[in-house]
């Protein structure tokens, strides 16, 4: 399949520091970038095809990303080491500080991905995986594969099937492929979806996400997500999220000298009274009383 990727791309304040290396393969395009971005640099990407981006250095402290808008307010989050962006999902990025980085871009034709995945996992599971965005920080195995692919892209030495097999391994290692086709039909979230939610919520300093953001994280509609989440955990998404925030409050109460008011502000509660009420509801006592008891032990 002769494949030419088509992506709308706008960048400002980002420049390459070495020649771009690329190689076209069967239904996919591999592109390696070595670049740097200034503080305040920004970019916008939208592709009709799925794509994978793998960074070879940690950029989470320097680059923020959002799929909702370019204002980088409520929906912003740190850029992770590897992301899978489904077809038609926009991505905005913003540099909070100057940073040099390198990354591998894989532009993938949907039919090529289906042809690769369907024989092993089935068409239904493959289509589900292609709709689910992925963002991970731990890329040990995927980074090794990506490094081998970059070397082959920069200096081709073997048949194209070798590079294509590396791409296939990256895809199968990164995409969130359902363990069983029937899990969603049975009204429960998969283990991978739960792990993704936990990672995303933990990445937020205040452990706050809207139900719509949580649903988008696992590739479900908001109404369907709320239903299967309750079936899986026994809690509504907001109850689960509140418990996570209270767990974080307990960590801060026992491991820091922050006042209850400071902790309330850090975790996004409207004031100390709001945190106290929520804390008492979950734990059974006020934050101040809970802290005093721990200090006496």
């Amino acid at each position: 399949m002769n494949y030419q990727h088509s992506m709308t791309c706008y960048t400002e304040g980002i420049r390459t520091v070495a020649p771009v290396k690329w190689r076209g393969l069967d239904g996919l395009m591999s592109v390696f970038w070595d670049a740097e971005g200034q503080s305040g640099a920004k970019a916008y990407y939208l592709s009709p095809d799925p794509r994978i981006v793998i960074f070879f250095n940690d950029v989470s402290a320097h680059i923020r990303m959002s799929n909702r808008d370019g204002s980088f307010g409520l929906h912003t989050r740190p850029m992770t080491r590897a992301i899978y962006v489904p077809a038609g999902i926009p991505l905005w990025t913003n540099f909070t500080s100057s940073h040099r980085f390198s990354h591998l871009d894989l532009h993938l034709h949907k039919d090529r991905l289906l042809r690769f995945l369907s024989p092993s996992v089935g068409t239904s599971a493959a289509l589900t995986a292609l709709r689910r965005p992925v963002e991970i920080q731990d890329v040990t195995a995927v980074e090794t594969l990506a490094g081998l692919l970059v070397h082959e892209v920069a200096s081709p030495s073997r048949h194209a099937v070798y590079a294509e097999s590396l791409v296939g391994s990256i895809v199968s290692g990164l995409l969130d492929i359902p363990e069983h086709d029937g899990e969603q039909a049975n009204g429960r979230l998969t283990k991978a979806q739960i792990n993704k939610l936990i990672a995303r919520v933990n990445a937020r300093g205040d452990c706050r996400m809207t139900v719509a953001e949580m649903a988008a994280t696992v590739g479900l509609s908001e109404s369907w997500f709320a239903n299967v989440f309750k079936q899986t955990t026994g809690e509504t998404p907001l109850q689960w999220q509140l418990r996570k925030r209270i767990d974080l409050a307990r960590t801060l109460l026992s491991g820091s000298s922050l006042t209850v008011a400071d902790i309330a502000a850090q975790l996004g509660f409207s004031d100390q009274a709001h945190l106290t009420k929520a804390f008492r509801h979950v734990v059974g006592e006020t934050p101040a009383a809970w802290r005093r008891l721990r200090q006496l032990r």
Side-chain angles (χ1 to χ4, degrees), residues 8 10 43-47 51 53 55 64-70 72 77 79 83 85 88-93 135:
T8 300
Y10 167 79
Y44 167 76
Y45 309 92
L46 177 63
S47 175
R51 67 190 189 98
V53 182
F55 287 90
R64 307 287 295 181
M65 62 176 169
S66 172
N67 301 112
R68 300 293 291 271
D69 55 51
F72 291 90
R77 57 198 184 277
M79 175 66 75
I83 62 173
V85 185
I89 300 296
L91 178 68
W92 287 263
T93 62
E135 297 168 11

Side-chain angles (χ1 to χ4, degrees), residues 13-276:
I14 302 172
R15 70 179 188 91
T16 58
V17 295
V20 177
K21 300 177 177 64
W22 61 273
R23 184 177 180 185
L25 298 165
D26 178 23
L28 57 97
M29 178 71 71
S30 301
V31 188
F32 176 71
W33 300 83
D34 193 1
E36 64 180 7
Q38 305 171 359
S39 178
K42 55 187 178 181
Y44 167 76
Y45 309 92
L46 177 63
S47 175
D49 294 313
R51 67 190 189 98
I52 289 172
V53 182
I54 301 169
F55 287 90
F56 290 94
N57 55 313
D58 186 359
V59 297
S60 60
H62 308 280
I63 306 176
R64 307 287 295 181
M65 62 176 169
S66 172
N67 301 112
R68 300 293 291 271
D69 55 51
S71 62
F72 291 90
L74 178 64
H75 306 294
T76 185
R77 57 198 184 277
M79 175 66 75
T80 56
R81 292 286 305 279
I83 62 173
Y84 166 73
V85 185
I89 300 296
L91 178 68
W92 287 263
T93 62
N94 176 266
F95 280 70
T96 58
S97 58
S98 298
H99 189 61
R100 179 168 175 170
F101 60 95
S102 60
H103 66 75
L104 173 68
D105 282 357
L106 297 176
H107 301 270
L108 308 149
H109 194 284
K110 177 183 175 182
D111 291 346
R112 178 67 170 91
L113 284 181
L114 283 175
R115 182 155 49 93
F116 170 71
L117 292 173
S118 294
S120 298
V121 305
T123 301
S124 177
L127 287 170
T128 297
L130 294 189
R131 290 192 293 265
R132 292 177 176 174
V134 175
E135 297 168 11
I136 63 172
Q137 186 67 8
D138 182 6
V139 294
T140 304
V142 170
E143 183 180 19
T144 299
L145 294 167
L148 292 171
L149 180 58
V150 168
H151 180 76
E152 188 63 17
V153 167
S155 303
S157 61
R158 305 186 185 185
H159 191 279
V161 70
Y162 169 64
E164 290 165 7
S165 68
L166 289 173
V167 174
S169 296
I170 291 170
V171 167
S172 58
L174 183 61
L175 264 63
D176 182 9
I177 302 171
E179 296 179 11
H180 303 287
D181 285 349
E183 283 186 279
Q184 265 346 197
N186 291 334
R188 298 181 65 85
L189 294 172
T190 66
K191 182 178 178 180
Q193 287 174 312
I194 290 291
N195 289 340
K196 184 184 294 185
L197 275 175
I198 292 172
R200 177 66 63 80
V201 169
N202 288 345
R204 299 287 182 97
D206 57 6
C207 287
R208 297 179 69 190
M209 291 178 68
T210 65
V211 177
E213 288 176 304
M214 295 172 74
T217 298
V218 296
L220 298 175
S221 70
E222 187 173 343
S223 59
W224 177 239
F225 169 78
N227 179 56
V228 297
F229 189 93
K230 181 71 178 289
Q231 292 296 320
T232 305
T233 67
E235 299 175 297
T236 69
L238 294 182
Q239 287 171 337
W240 178 83
Q241 190 177 146
L242 177 61
R243 183 168 53 78
K244 296 283 290 181
R245 294 170 72 197
I246 296 302
D247 286 345
L248 183 52
R250 286 194 283 194
T251 298
L252 293 172
L253 285 166
S254 62
S256 77
S257 59
L258 291 172
T259 67
V260 176
D262 288 339
I263 293 172
Q266 182 170 321
L267 297 184
F269 290 92
S270 57
D271 53 27
Q272 181 174 334
H274 184 199
L275 170 59
T276 297

